Amino acid sequence: EDQVTQSPEALRLQEGESSSLNCSYTVSGLRGLFWYRQDPGKGPEFLFTLYSAGEEKEKERLKATLTKKESFLHITAPKPEDSATYLCAVQASSSASKIIFGSGTRLSIRP
Amino acid sequence: GAVVSQHPSWVICKSGTSVKIECRSLDFQATTMFWYRQFPKQSLMLMATSNEGSKATYEQGVEKDKFLINHASLTLSTLTVTSAHPEDSSFYICSAEMGTSGNTDTQYFGPGTRLTVL
């Protein structure tokens, strides 16, 4: 069964303190792995799509990497406005367009 | 680009009434749209996949007759919650799939609709 596990569940950092969020997955043929950011009461905002192991993508203070079993979202020198829930999702080769979400990591950045 | 809107953003209704939620892709055409439900502090749960011009595909455990989905055009899908009850109160989010020439299609999400059934 396709599955996505994110850790930690919650993470509190001081402004400027870099860290990483983990997304472990088991899927029958990875078609794509997605990272989204979700603010309270809003829909998810697209960040990255990764397709194959070894791929990396960056956007401002965020960098996403992918291996055959997991993905990391690295946050460098975060600011309070980076506080949000970060969601990881995978799309399997066998499931057409359907994507499966992890439970998310709630990130809080203290000024 | 890739903007998805939902209307209304919130709705309060009485038990037993029906509520319609609209999802529009504003600057692209989407042959496939998705409807999700999200309870407080939980992740998104897929309810159904909506394809333009054909019947929606519902996930296991989702009642087809209760959650009616219509995808009449390449930019509009609607979700109607029929005979709503308090347990249907939730945050409903739609997404639209933007086709690319790459390996997969990315889903772009709407801002969500908060439904409260009294």
Side-chain angles (χ1 to χ4, degrees):
Chain A
E1 183 184 340
D2 300 334
Q3 200 167 5
V4 181
T5 304
Q6 289 188 247
S7 62
E9 208 172 289
L11 181 62
R12 299 187 72 180
L13 300 172
Q14 199 68 35
E15 183 173 1
E17 181 184 359
S18 302
S19 188
S20 296
L21 313 182
N22 178 264
C23 171
S24 299
Y25 64 91
T26 53
V27 65
S28 52
L30 180 70
R31 190 167 174 218
L33 184 142
F34 308 87
W35 282 99
Y36 290 89
R37 167 194 170 128
Q38 186 176 27
D39 292 301
K42 297 187 178 180
E45 174 190 344
F46 172 71
L47 294 174
F48 305 107
T49 304
L50 301 168
Y51 299 107
S52 56
E55 189 175 1
E56 298 182 352
K57 288 193 176 174
E58 287 187 68
K59 180 181 179 181
E60 297 181 353
R61 295 178 291 280
L62 301 177
K63 178 181 176 181
T65 62
L66 180 65
T67 71
K68 289 186 178 180
K69 294 183 179 181
E70 57 192 355
S71 176
F72 291 94
L73 184 65
H74 306 278
I75 301 178
T76 303
K79 298 182 178 181
E81 53 262 41
D82 294 322
S83 299
T85 295
Y86 289 85
L87 299 168
C88 172
V90 297
Q91 186 178 52
S93 303
S94 58
S95 65
S97 300
K98 178 178 169 180
I99 63 176
I100 300 169
F101 278 91
S103 54
T105 293
R106 291 192 307 279
L107 177 66
S108 176
I109 309 297
R110 300 189 300 271
Chain B
V3 179
V4 178
S5 70
Q6 276 184 247
H7 179 79
S9 55
W10 59 270
V11 57
I12 301 173
C13 68
K14 292 183 179 179
S15 186
T17 60
S18 295
V19 175
K20 180 186 281 188
I21 302 170
E22 291 186 351
C23 176
R24 294 180 185 272
S25 56
L26 298 184
D27 52 0
F28 65 99
Q29 293 185 330
T31 54
T32 306
M33 290 184 171
F34 305 83
W35 287 96
Y36 294 83
R37 185 162 55 178
Q38 187 175 34
F39 291 105
K41 297 195 175 182
Q42 293 187 24
S43 193
L44 282 75
M45 296 298 296
L46 180 65
M47 298 175 65
T49 302
S50 166
N51 290 291
E52 186 265 338
S54 64
K55 289 184 179 181
T57 302
Y58 291 81
E59 294 300 300
Q60 194 171 7
V62 177
E63 299 176 57
K64 302 178 184 181
D65 295 332
K66 181 166 189 63
F67 299 99
L68 302 179
I69 291 172
N70 184 283
H71 193 160
S73 77
L74 288 173
T75 59
L76 173 64
S77 176
T78 61
L79 168 68
T80 301
V81 183
T82 62
S83 186
H85 291 287
E87 57 265 30
D88 298 323
S89 298
S90 188
F91 192 51
Y92 292 87
I93 312 173
C94 74
S95 71
E97 187 176 77
M98 173 186 267
T100 69
S101 58
N103 296 348
T104 192
D105 295 339
T106 297
Q107 290 184 29
Y108 293 87
F109 286 81
T113 296
R114 172 75 58 195
L115 171 63
T116 301
V117 185
L118 303 176

